[in-house]
Amino acid sequence: ALRSIEGMEIHLIVSGGAKRTWELECDFPIERLYELADVIHDEHNMAASVSSGSFVTDGMIIMPCSMKTLAAVANGYAENLIVRAADGCLKENRRVVIVPREMPFGKIHLRNMLTAAENGCSIISPVLTFYNGACTVDDQINHVVGKILLQFGFTYDKFVPWKGIEDT
């Protein structure tokens, strides 16, 4: 979806935990994900371009966001480049969208989401939709992706928005 936006430069940071999860849950090599990025950053490189608020971006999407990363973002604990880049975006009043990877949410998760939201993050939980006729997993994914891109003012051609019901 980001590739479809003209002029979009994609920077990717994949944590060690995400790499392990990818191996356990995906049927294709992580290199396919890397091919979608223009720049790949090591999560331990705290001197990477995206670590600074002076590196101008449209913002940041943390997807999927572990509860560990959520806690770090919510509380400003910049132990790795993911959290440092998010911190840089937030201090410069840029969008940070968190897509949590957990269900159900515990009280600590909910407190951290509230704190992150109070600090300027948008929380977009990947919730199923039915109002738009989404019948396949791909339809559901496209809905979540569309909602995320709307946070940055981008439209996604595979997103089907609510059209409303007209009064009769």
Side-chain angles (χ1 to χ4, degrees):
L2 291 172
R3 274 274 153 245
S4 70
I5 301 170
E6 187 176 330
M8 180 64 64
E9 182 176 277
I10 302 167
H11 290 250
L12 178 67
I13 310 164
V14 181
S15 70
K19 288 175 188 173
R20 180 64 179 140
T21 301
W22 187 281
E23 292 169 3
L24 295 170
E25 296 182 0
C26 292
D27 293 333
F28 50 91
I30 199 165
E31 287 72 27
R32 283 185 54 193
L33 174 65
Y34 295 157
E35 290 169 4
L36 297 172
D38 295 300
V39 181
I40 301 167
H41 300 281
D42 183 284
E43 72 170 315
H44 303 292
N45 181 5
M46 300 296 274
S49 57
V50 295
S51 71
S52 173
S54 66
F55 185 77
V56 179
T57 67
D58 291 313
M60 183 174 182
I61 302 165
I62 305 175
M63 178 178 166
C65 184
S66 70
M67 295 300 103
K68 176 182 176 181
T69 298
L70 169 65
V73 170
N75 294 287
Y77 184 64
E79 70 168 344
N80 65 28
L81 184 59
I82 295 169
V83 184
R84 176 65 194 124
D87 187 59
C89 285
L90 290 171
K91 75 181 183 73
E92 298 295 334
N93 296 311
R94 296 188 189 112
R95 280 285 198 207
V96 174
V97 174
I98 293 176
V99 185
R101 177 196 164 86
E102 191 64 65
M103 184 180 64
F105 297 124
K107 291 177 184 176
I108 292 170
H109 306 147
L110 292 168
R111 272 190 222 106
N112 284 334
M113 282 188 241
L114 176 60
T115 300
E118 289 172 342
N119 291 334
C121 295
S122 294
I123 312 295
I124 299 187
S125 192
V127 175
L128 298 176
T129 184
F130 299 99
Y131 67 75
N132 60 4
C135 297
T136 68
V137 171
D138 282 345
D139 292 341
Q140 296 290 347
I141 291 169
N142 289 330
H143 180 77
V144 172
V145 169
K147 294 290 270 186
I148 292 166
L149 292 181
L150 283 173
Q151 293 293 304
F152 298 92
F154 300 120
T155 56
Y156 182 45
D157 64 345
K158 295 180 182 178
F159 174 71
V160 180
W162 172 249
K163 300 207 185 327
I165 299 173
E166 300 304 318
D167 295 328
T168 56

